[in-house]
mmCIF file of all heavy atoms in Angstrom:
data_model
loop_
_atom_site.group_PDB
_atom_site.id
_atom_site.type_symbol
_atom_site.label_atom_id
_atom_site.label_comp_id
_atom_site.label_asym_id
_atom_site.label_seq_id
_atom_site.Cartn_x
_atom_site.Cartn_y
_atom_site.Cartn_z
ATOM 1 N N VAL A 113 12.325 -23.148 5.529
ATOM 2 C CA VAL A 113 13.415 -24.041 6.052
ATOM 3 C C VAL A 113 14.332 -23.339 7.019
ATOM 4 O O VAL A 113 15.344 -23.947 7.476
ATOM 5 C CB VAL A 113 14.283 -24.645 4.865
ATOM 6 C CG1 VAL A 113 13.436 -25.497 3.979
ATOM 7 C CG2 VAL A 113 14.986 -23.582 4.083
ATOM 8 N N LEU A 114 14.042 -22.123 7.378
ATOM 9 C CA LEU A 114 14.838 -21.358 8.361
ATOM 10 C C LEU A 114 14.041 -21.062 9.602
ATOM 11 O O LEU A 114 12.820 -20.791 9.485
ATOM 12 C CB LEU A 114 15.331 -20.051 7.751
ATOM 13 C CG LEU A 114 16.326 -20.165 6.557
ATOM 14 C CD1 LEU A 114 16.628 -18.783 6.020
ATOM 15 C CD2 LEU A 114 17.598 -20.904 6.974
ATOM 16 N N THR A 115 14.616 -21.100 10.743
ATOM 17 C CA THR A 115 13.890 -20.827 11.977
ATOM 18 C C THR A 115 13.474 -19.338 12.015
ATOM 19 O O THR A 115 14.064 -18.481 11.348
ATOM 20 C CB THR A 115 14.762 -21.102 13.221
ATOM 21 O OG1 THR A 115 15.899 -20.219 13.237
ATOM 22 C CG2 THR A 115 15.192 -22.548 13.321
ATOM 23 N N ILE A 116 12.514 -19.023 12.881
ATOM 24 C CA ILE A 116 12.034 -17.687 13.063
ATOM 25 C C ILE A 116 13.221 -16.806 13.589
ATOM 26 O O ILE A 116 13.402 -15.668 13.147
ATOM 27 C CB ILE A 116 10.864 -17.653 14.030
ATOM 28 C CG1 ILE A 116 9.629 -18.343 13.382
ATOM 29 C CG2 ILE A 116 10.504 -16.216 14.453
ATOM 30 C CD1 ILE A 116 9.150 -17.736 12.044
ATOM 31 N N GLN A 117 14.023 -17.368 14.471
ATOM 32 C CA GLN A 117 15.166 -16.621 15.037
ATOM 33 C C GLN A 117 16.106 -16.224 13.933
ATOM 34 O O GLN A 117 16.538 -15.072 13.827
ATOM 35 C CB GLN A 117 15.869 -17.468 16.066
ATOM 36 C CG GLN A 117 17.163 -16.735 16.582
ATOM 37 C CD GLN A 117 17.852 -17.503 17.752
ATOM 38 O OE1 GLN A 117 17.157 -17.958 18.650
ATOM 39 N NE2 GLN A 117 19.181 -17.608 17.698
ATOM 40 N N HIS A 118 16.436 -17.130 13.012
ATOM 41 C CA HIS A 118 17.370 -16.850 11.919
ATOM 42 C C HIS A 118 16.833 -15.706 11.037
ATOM 43 O O HIS A 118 17.545 -14.757 10.680
ATOM 44 C CB HIS A 118 17.593 -18.125 11.074
ATOM 45 C CG HIS A 118 18.654 -17.963 10.012
ATOM 46 N ND1 HIS A 118 18.429 -17.205 8.842
ATOM 47 C CD2 HIS A 118 19.932 -18.374 9.969
ATOM 48 C CE1 HIS A 118 19.537 -17.265 8.106
ATOM 49 N NE2 HIS A 118 20.463 -17.937 8.792
ATOM 50 N N GLN A 119 15.509 -15.808 10.716
ATOM 51 C CA GLN A 119 14.979 -14.804 9.789
ATOM 52 C C GLN A 119 14.760 -13.473 10.488
ATOM 53 O O GLN A 119 14.864 -12.417 9.830
ATOM 54 C CB GLN A 119 13.621 -15.325 9.278
ATOM 55 C CG GLN A 119 13.786 -16.565 8.417
ATOM 56 C CD GLN A 119 12.470 -17.109 7.855
ATOM 57 O OE1 GLN A 119 11.903 -16.434 6.990
ATOM 58 N NE2 GLN A 119 12.084 -18.300 8.249
ATOM 59 N N LEU A 120 14.497 -13.428 11.773
ATOM 60 C CA LEU A 120 14.349 -12.170 12.510
ATOM 61 C C LEU A 120 15.664 -11.457 12.747
ATOM 62 O O LEU A 120 15.761 -10.262 12.652
ATOM 63 C CB LEU A 120 13.697 -12.421 13.817
ATOM 64 C CG LEU A 120 12.153 -12.175 13.948
ATOM 65 C CD1 LEU A 120 11.710 -12.627 15.326
ATOM 66 C CD2 LEU A 120 11.831 -10.737 13.705
ATOM 67 N N THR A 121 16.716 -12.253 12.978
ATOM 68 C CA THR A 121 17.995 -11.608 13.364
ATOM 69 C C THR A 121 18.817 -11.178 12.124
ATOM 70 O O THR A 121 19.611 -10.291 12.232
ATOM 71 C CB THR A 121 18.859 -12.546 14.266
ATOM 72 O OG1 THR A 121 19.010 -13.816 13.556
ATOM 73 C CG2 THR A 121 18.200 -12.807 15.607
ATOM 74 N N GLU A 122 18.573 -11.813 10.995
ATOM 75 C CA GLU A 122 19.394 -11.525 9.843
ATOM 76 C C GLU A 122 19.411 -10.030 9.402
ATOM 77 O O GLU A 122 20.456 -9.501 9.193
ATOM 78 C CB GLU A 122 18.878 -12.403 8.607
ATOM 79 C CG GLU A 122 19.830 -12.276 7.450
ATOM 80 C CD GLU A 122 19.370 -13.180 6.283
ATOM 81 O OE1 GLU A 122 18.183 -13.524 6.220
ATOM 82 O OE2 GLU A 122 20.224 -13.511 5.445
ATOM 83 N N PRO A 123 18.198 -9.367 9.317
ATOM 84 C CA PRO A 123 18.211 -7.977 8.980
ATOM 85 C C PRO A 123 18.963 -7.113 10.033
ATOM 86 O O PRO A 123 19.645 -6.133 9.657
ATOM 87 C CB PRO A 123 16.743 -7.523 8.926
ATOM 88 C CG PRO A 123 15.981 -8.713 9.184
ATOM 89 C CD PRO A 123 16.844 -9.859 9.498
ATOM 90 N N MET A 124 18.880 -7.465 11.297
ATOM 91 C CA MET A 124 19.599 -6.677 12.340
ATOM 92 C C MET A 124 21.134 -6.837 12.220
ATOM 93 O O MET A 124 21.891 -5.876 12.477
ATOM 94 C CB MET A 124 19.061 -7.054 13.733
ATOM 95 C CG MET A 124 17.612 -6.721 13.938
ATOM 96 S SD MET A 124 17.032 -7.150 15.589
ATOM 97 C CE MET A 124 16.310 -8.706 15.255
#
Side-chain angles (χ1 to χ4, degrees):
V113 300
L114 297 176
T115 65
I116 293 301
Q117 176 173 317
H118 186 285
Q119 296 184 64
L120 262 174
T121 55
E122 187 177 24
M124 294 182 263

